[in-house]
Amino acid sequence: MNKEVLQSECEFKAVRSSGPGGQHVNKTSTKVMLHWDLEASAVFTEEQKERLRQRLASKLTTENQLVLSYDQSRSQHKNKGEVFKNLVQLLEKALVKPKKRKKTRPTLASKKRRLESKKQNAQKKANRKPPDF
């Protein structure tokens, strides 16, 4: 994934951050909102775009746009870097293909261990009963 091209496709907008902070938060726009259009992206192939559509379905808007925001820092510049880093992590995680599960069979030794423990349990419970007269 080419991060420079991806960053050029992103649209960053600075808005006022919410929450406490007094005069600083009331007069500065430090929260950064990132808008990225999946359909218009030239970074990914059609197959990758389809995978992203499926894996990020809950995060995409109806126009297949991804909107992320970050407002942890008092610096707009740091927030911009962090929100882009979050986008890259989100996309990399969504593109990972899970490994196929290989069917396995229990080994003969594990079958014997299981049966032996079942016999021991049965014997333990049988010893709890009062003797028959």
Side-chain angles (χ1 to χ4, degrees):
M1 168 176 12
N2 191 341
K3 291 180 185 175
E4 289 81 26
V5 176
L6 182 64
Q7 191 166 15
S8 69
E9 292 176 352
C10 294
E11 180 185 323
F12 297 95
K13 188 174 12 171
V15 294
R16 290 213 175 125
S17 189
S18 63
Q23 185 180 6
H24 177 76
V25 79
N26 294 335
K27 68 179 185 169
T28 57
S29 299
T30 55
K31 179 178 183 177
V32 176
M33 302 216 30
L34 179 144
H35 295 266
W36 177 69
D37 190 5
L38 175 62
E39 298 303 319
S41 178
V43 177
F44 302 107
T45 64
E46 282 304 316
E47 181 184 313
Q48 289 174 323
K49 284 183 185 179
E50 186 57 39
R51 182 160 188 78
L52 288 171
R53 259 184 238 108
Q54 290 171 356
R55 298 287 303 270
L56 301 175
S58 62
K59 294 179 180 6
L60 292 172
T61 63
T62 53
E63 297 87 33
N64 280 330
Q65 280 206 348
L66 187 64
V67 180
L68 299 174
S69 64
Y70 197 85
D71 64 350
Q72 299 300 309
S73 173
R74 287 172 55 120
S75 163
Q76 186 185 116
H77 185 68
K78 285 181 185 174
N79 286 338
K80 184 178 179 182
E82 287 298 318
V83 76
F84 183 70
K85 190 166 75 172
N86 290 349
L87 171 72
V88 170
Q89 287 175 349
L90 188 70
L91 294 176
E92 284 174 347
K93 188 176 176 185
L95 286 173
V96 171
K97 292 183 181 176
K99 292 180 183 176
K100 284 218 170 194
R101 182 185 177 278
K102 293 180 185 174
K103 292 183 181 178
T104 58
R105 300 172 83 185
T107 62
L108 188 60
S110 69
K111 286 181 188 177
K112 285 182 179 177
R113 277 194 304 270
R114 183 178 61 87
L115 292 175
E116 190 57 41
S117 80
K118 283 178 75 169
K119 284 179 188 172
Q120 286 176 353
N121 256 347
Q123 188 65 38
K124 187 190 327 177
K125 291 183 179 203
N127 288 339
R128 290 181 191 159
K129 294 181 185 176
D132 293 330
F133 291 103

